[in-house]
């Protein structure tokens, strides 16, 4: 038979451990949700920049000229974002160079859509938006925000 002091200490330690563990788990999920929201905001802003560069009537612009216009912008943002643009009837007309031969995963859901996908064994956050006859897809790695933390992975 254990002493009363030992049993109270054991119960108190268990209660403190469970409380601290629960608070840490909740904190992790809240921070992760905030990071996803922040990434979603950045992806939406990046799509707005692309739309601005495409102009008010992008259907009237020849594909080659449109690709040339977008190439300069996407080169600047290549460390942070992957870009893919499809045109109805033509398929993918533009992919950023950092994608190489890869394509962002297909999606047939409601547009605009934000989702998490895996490419090259790496989780990506992707935003898709239809505009005129175009489907614009912008993605970023989910590792990006964690790498910005002082003790994050390098």
């Amino acid at each position: 038979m254990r002493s009363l002091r030992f049993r109270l200490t054991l119960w108190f330690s268990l209660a403190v451990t469970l409380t601290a563990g629960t608070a840490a788990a909740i904190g992790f999920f809240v921070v992760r949700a905030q990071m996803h929201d922040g990434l979603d905001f950045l992806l939406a802003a990046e799509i707005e920049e692309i739309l601005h560069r495409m102009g008010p009537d992008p259907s009237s612009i020849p594909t080659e000229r449109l690709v040339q216009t977008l190439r300069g912008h996407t080169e600047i943002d290549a460390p942070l974002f992957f870009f893919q643009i499809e045109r109805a009837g033509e398929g993918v007309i533009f992919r950023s160079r950092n994608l190489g031969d890869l394509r962002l995963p297909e999606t047939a859901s409601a547009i605009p859509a934000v989702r998490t996908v895996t490419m090259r064994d790496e989780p990506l956050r992707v935003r898709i938006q239809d505009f005129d006859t175009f489907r614009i897809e912008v993605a970023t790695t989910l590792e990006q925000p964690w790498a910005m933390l002082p003790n994050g992975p390098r």
Side-chain angles (χ1 to χ4, degrees), residues 53-114:
R53 294 190 188 271
M54 290 172 77
D57 186 22
S59 296
S60 64
I61 302 172
T63 300
E64 296 78 26
R65 193 166 130 229
L66 189 61
V67 167
Q68 187 178 29
T69 301
L70 296 174
R71 179 75 58 202
H73 173 70
T74 60
E75 292 296 321
I76 295 168
D77 290 337
L80 298 174
F81 300 103
F82 301 100
F83 299 89
Q84 181 171 289
I85 298 176
E86 299 176 38
R87 187 178 222 166
E90 293 183 46
V92 175
I93 62 166
F94 177 79
R95 272 195 322 257
S96 56
R97 289 191 178 138
N98 58 354
L99 275 172
D101 293 335
L102 299 174
R103 289 183 62 164
L104 292 173
E106 296 284 331
T107 183
S109 67
I111 305 299
V114 179

Side-chain angles (χ1 to χ4, degrees), residues 36-49:
H36 281 194
D37 288 346
L39 286 176
D40 295 346
F41 177 77
L42 288 174
L43 292 172
E46 199 61 37
I47 285 181
E48 287 301 316
E49 283 188 46

Side-chain angles (χ1 to χ4, degrees), residues 24 88 144:
Q144 192 72 21

